[in-house]
Amino acid sequence: MKLTRFEKLALGLSGVTALGIGGFILTAPLAFYASYGIALGPDPDLLSELRAPGAGLAAFGLIMLAGIVNGALRPASIVAALTVFLAFPAGRLVGLVADGVPSGGILGALGIELAIAALCIVAFRRRLRPAAPATGGNRVSAV
């Protein structure tokens, strides 16, 4: 499967974003969350629970980026980009309903996630349609 320039752009932006945010959470969770006005204490359990999904997000970012250059990883990279950037805003929207309106920084993150989700949907829309069923000479007859 060959990627168009637009698809490469979508994977690149998705991958850099996921890798950067995931890497920041993994390596400096206190600083990352402080940038949103969230004060965390030096609780090893909490920090471990934050670093683990940060590592997962960074790994998904690497998969997205690898799909740009590695044809075997392209389908997985597209799935990773769509999953991450549809699931994160979905989770934030559930939070809006369940918990109320968060800070402006979190709403800004939601806006960025929705923009990247829209970019990915537009970029990969032709790949999201089911393939037409095969017709013709591939019939198996029972004798």
Side-chain angles (χ1 to χ4, degrees):
M1 147 189 354
K2 185 172 170 103
L3 294 175
T4 66
R5 280 184 168 183
F6 187 48
E7 290 172 327
K8 288 178 183 177
L9 173 72
L11 282 178
L13 181 61
S14 299
V16 166
T17 302
L19 178 60
I21 292 171
F24 194 5
I25 294 169
L26 176 63
T27 59
L30 295 171
F32 177 82
Y33 287 102
S35 73
Y36 285 102
I38 300 170
L40 302 175
D43 179 351
D45 294 332
L46 176 61
L47 294 174
S48 177
E49 284 297 306
L50 295 172
R51 288 179 198 273
L57 184 58
F60 275 123
L62 287 172
I63 291 168
M64 293 173 212
L65 293 172
I68 296 170
V69 295
N70 184 326
L73 290 175
R74 284 188 184 133
S77 69
I78 292 168
V79 169
L82 288 166
T83 300
V84 166
F85 288 101
L86 291 172
F88 268 79
R92 291 194 197 278
L93 292 173
V94 168
L96 268 168
V97 171
D99 308 321
V101 179
S103 70
I106 299 295
L107 291 174
L110 171 61
I112 291 168
E113 292 159 357
L114 287 170
I116 294 173
L119 174 70
C120 288
I121 289 169
V122 170
F124 304 120
R125 68 189 177 281
R126 68 184 174 98
R127 299 185 192 277
L128 298 175
R129 293 189 190 114
T135 60
N138 293 335
R139 295 183 192 169
V140 177
S141 62
V143 179

